[in-house]
């Protein structure tokens, strides 16, 4: 399926290895609290987990990894936590961009960047430009991201760029303006930290994604935990609206 097309319009090709994994990295605060440490210590440890998960995804030939780092609702947190998170983000950008590039990783950020410190915006731009032609893994950070924001900004762009009336109001037209239009829809969604909710992450793109929830807190999420999620994915039957019998027939026809 060409990128940007929609699973509700065309049945995507699927395989035993997910092409795109999207993760809500949750549980940093609780991890720190369990150790009588400040919440930011959990976030710091969470950055270490990100490094490990990128490495594991590359070893497994996964093409797209999308991580939810800061939601449009996370501004509601105490000011000092938000400030620390921003410092951590800036520090990680400064340290990691060259390493990502050396590893052949394409780096992208999705979300409303207008609220960020100009220094953060600058590093994001440098990182995206430097790594734009890399093909090994597309690593996306969702920052000040919200699924509703994404659909709204896509609508606004679609309306603004439509020259002829009546407007072509179909899915194919809209999806090219969604912020993840360069990626296929996620095959596997993982949320750590025990909550079973989407928290305004990729509302549009998760339409037919396989969902996996684990109680493991994000700082404890390691290669073995990723393997468990992939194993769970491999047991799913992705029907996209069809019956199980139809799928079995298609498989035996292929030989
Ligand atoms: C996820 O961990 C990281 C962000 C939302 C930035 P939390 O900070 O939500 O951790 P818990 O859910 O309080 O344990
Ligand atoms: C979701 O986690 C956002 C990120 C991981 C960035 P939250 O911890 O903010 O989600 P809720 O508030 O428990 O739904
Ligand atoms: Mg949380």
């Amino acid at each position: 399926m060409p990128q940007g097309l929609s699973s509700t319009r065309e049945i995507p090709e699927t395989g035993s290895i997910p092409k795109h994994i999207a993760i809500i990295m949750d549980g940093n605060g609780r991890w720190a609290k369990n150790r009588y440490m400040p919440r930011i210590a959990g976030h710091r440890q969470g950055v270490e987990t990100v490094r490990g998960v990128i490495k594991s995804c590359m070893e497994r030939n996964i093409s797209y990894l999308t991580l939810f780092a800061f939601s449009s609702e996370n501004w509601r947190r105490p000011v000092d936590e938000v400030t620390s998170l921003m410092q951590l983000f800036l520090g990680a950008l400064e340290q990691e961009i060259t390493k990502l590039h050396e590893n052949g990783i394409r780096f992208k950020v999705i979300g409303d960047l207008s609220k960020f410190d100009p220094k953060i915006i600058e590093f994001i731009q440098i990182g995206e430009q430097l790594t734009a032609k890399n093909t090994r893994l597309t690593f996306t950070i969702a920052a000040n991201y919200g699924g509703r924001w994404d659909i709204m900004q896509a609508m606004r762009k679609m309306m603004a760029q439509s020259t002829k009336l009546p407007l072509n109001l179909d899915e194919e037209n809209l999806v090219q303006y969604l912020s993840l239009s360069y990626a296929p829809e996620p095959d596997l969604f993982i949320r750590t930290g025990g909550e079973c909710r989407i928290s305004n992450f990729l509302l549009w793109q998760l339409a037919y994604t396989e969902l996996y929830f684990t109680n493991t807190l994000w700082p404890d999420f390691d290669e073995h935990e990723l393997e468990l999620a992939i194993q769970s994915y491999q047991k799913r039957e992705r029907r996209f609206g069809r019956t199980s019998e139809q799928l079995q027939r298609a498989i035996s026809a292929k030989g």
Side-chain angles (χ1 to χ4, degrees):
M1 183 172 74
Q3 259 85 78
L5 265 190
S6 147
S7 57
T8 47
R9 305 286 262 190
E10 225 168 274
I11 298 167
E13 260 180 47
T14 57
S16 63
I17 298 296
K19 275 202 279 291
H20 184 176
I21 300 183
I23 308 182
I24 297 187
M25 314 183 281
D26 198 17
N28 294 348
R30 278 163 285 167
W31 183 91
K33 196 175 174 194
N34 290 343
R35 287 166 177 74
Y36 306 100
M37 287 155 95
R39 292 178 58 85
I40 189 66
H43 296 312
R44 237 177 258 128
Q45 195 58 40
V47 176
E48 295 304 317
T49 302
V50 172
R51 286 199 189 96
V53 168
I54 292 176
K55 189 165 169 273
S56 304
C57 284
M58 293 214 293
E59 285 164 3
R60 285 168 177 73
N61 289 322
I62 285 152
S63 306
Y64 297 86
L65 172 66
T66 302
L67 302 181
F68 203 7
F70 193 86
S71 77
S72 43
E73 290 70 55
N74 285 146
W75 298 104
R76 296 169 179 164
R77 293 194 177 195
V79 177
D80 60 342
E81 180 167 347
V82 172
T83 310
S84 307
L85 277 168
M86 292 301 152
Q87 279 165 357
L88 194 62
F89 189 28
L90 181 60
L93 285 166
E94 274 177 312
Q95 274 191 14
E96 304 297 327
I97 286 170
T98 336
K99 284 186 218 154
L100 292 174
H101 186 48
E102 282 165 6
N103 283 294
I105 298 170
R106 173 165 68 144
F107 173 64
K108 303 279 260 178
V109 177
I110 56 168
D112 180 3
L113 297 186
S114 62
K115 271 200 174 182
F116 286 117
D117 186 278
K119 248 194 129 114
I120 293 185
I121 299 176
E122 193 189 327
F123 270 106
I124 291 171
Q125 284 167 349
I126 292 171
E128 288 190 335
Q129 275 164 22
L130 179 72
T131 63
K133 296 213 167 73
N134 294 342
T135 52
R136 196 146 168 229
L137 167 75
T138 297
F139 168 54
T140 302
I141 288 282
N144 193 21
Y145 179 88
R148 291 187 180 177
W149 164 84
D150 197 5
I151 296 168
M152 289 309 298
Q153 67 81 29
M155 290 271 220
R156 281 192 207 101
K157 280 191 191 142
M158 182 178 73
M159 309 276 273
Q161 293 187 12
S162 296
T163 44
K164 51 177 194 289
L165 289 167
L167 254 182
N168 189 12
L169 276 180
D170 57 26
E171 289 189 16
E172 282 81 355
N173 195 12
L174 185 75
V175 291
Q176 51 183 324
Y177 298 106
L178 290 172
S179 50
L180 260 185
S181 62
Y182 54 86
E185 290 173 20
D187 301 293
L188 172 61
F189 160 96
I190 299 170
R191 180 172 186 144
T192 61
E195 312 297 349
C196 296
R197 54 178 172 252
I198 304 291
S199 299
N200 197 17
F201 195 25
L202 304 163
L203 297 181
W204 180 284
Q205 297 87 343
L206 294 178
Y208 270 105
T209 302
E210 296 298 329
L211 307 179
Y212 178 85
F213 297 93
T214 170
N215 288 329
T216 303
L217 305 173
W218 178 249
D220 294 326
F221 190 85
D222 58 12
E223 184 169 15
H224 173 67
E225 295 285 338
L226 181 70
E227 192 52 45
L228 291 180
I230 294 174
Q231 280 173 14
S232 165
Y233 170 81
Q234 289 170 337
K235 291 196 197 101
R236 315 282 177 96
E237 185 179 58
R238 304 192 71 191
R239 292 194 287 276
F240 298 96
R242 294 164 296 174
T243 66
S244 189
E245 288 72 19
Q246 282 176 299
L247 277 178
Q248 296 311 322
R249 269 202 300 274
I251 292 167
S252 43
K254 263 191 185 168

